Amino acid sequence: WLMRSPGLRLGSAPARSTLLGFGAGFGGLLAATLYAWLAEALHAMPPQQAGAGALLIGTLLILVQVTGEELLLRGWVQPVLAERLPSWAAILIVACLFAALHMLGGTRAPMSLLNLLLGGLLFGALAARTGGLAAPIAAHFAWNW
């Protein structure tokens, strides 16, 4: 508001972009799971006891978290950089920033940082392609959920 930024731009076709983003995020999650399975890196964990209320609260928290990250990175930083740099460069810089911000949260494993960088590239490309945040928010949400 202070910078007169358009804020939450969903794009020209938000419903279609949301489906595209959700499919991309879920597809990425499935691909990563398949790769981990093929690499024999999946490990069974004991089931957790959580009710529907915990699932609902967790889902809402994830939606708030990814929306905040996407508003900051793809809704503000990426468009500002894209005004001064080629779109691909803005996407790459913001993807690196996305991974770096997660390092502040404790992520240190090289494979995790590579996945964050690739996720950042996907979310940035979706934002640039659709002209809004519906697709990257949906992709980010599908991956995190």
Side-chain angles (χ1 to χ4, degrees), residues 54-141:
L55 182 61
L56 178 62
I57 289 171
T59 300
L60 292 174
L61 286 173
I62 292 169
L63 184 58
V64 167
Q65 177 255 326
V66 301
T67 301
E69 286 184 10
E70 294 306 320
L71 276 169
L72 173 65
L73 297 170
R74 263 63 71 171
W76 178 44
V77 177
Q78 185 170 311
V80 168
L81 290 175
E83 289 176 1
R84 294 160 179 80
L85 301 169
S87 182
W88 66 267
I91 292 169
L92 179 61
I93 291 168
V94 171
C96 290
L97 180 60
F98 179 70
L101 287 173
H102 283 79
M103 286 181 69
L104 294 174
T107 302
R108 298 283 187 276
M111 187 60 69
S112 295
L113 292 172
L114 176 62
N115 283 329
L116 285 162
L117 178 67
L118 293 174
L121 291 171
L122 172 66
F123 306 150
L126 286 169
R129 176 77 174 147
T130 63
L133 297 178
I137 288 171
H140 198 159
F141 174 79

Side-chain angles (χ1 to χ4, degrees), residues 1-23:
W1 175 76
L2 289 173
M3 297 187 67
R4 307 229 190 308
S5 173
L8 185 61
R9 295 170 290 112
L10 296 178
S12 59
R16 187 177 55 155
S17 294
T18 299
L19 289 175
L20 170 71
F22 192 80

Side-chain angles (χ1 to χ4, degrees), residues 21-49:
F22 192 80
F26 192 70
L29 179 60
L30 287 178
T33 303
L34 177 63
Y35 176 75
W37 177 73
L38 290 172
E40 298 180 2
L42 288 182
H43 304 285
M45 295 179 65
Q48 301 294 315
Q49 297 296 324

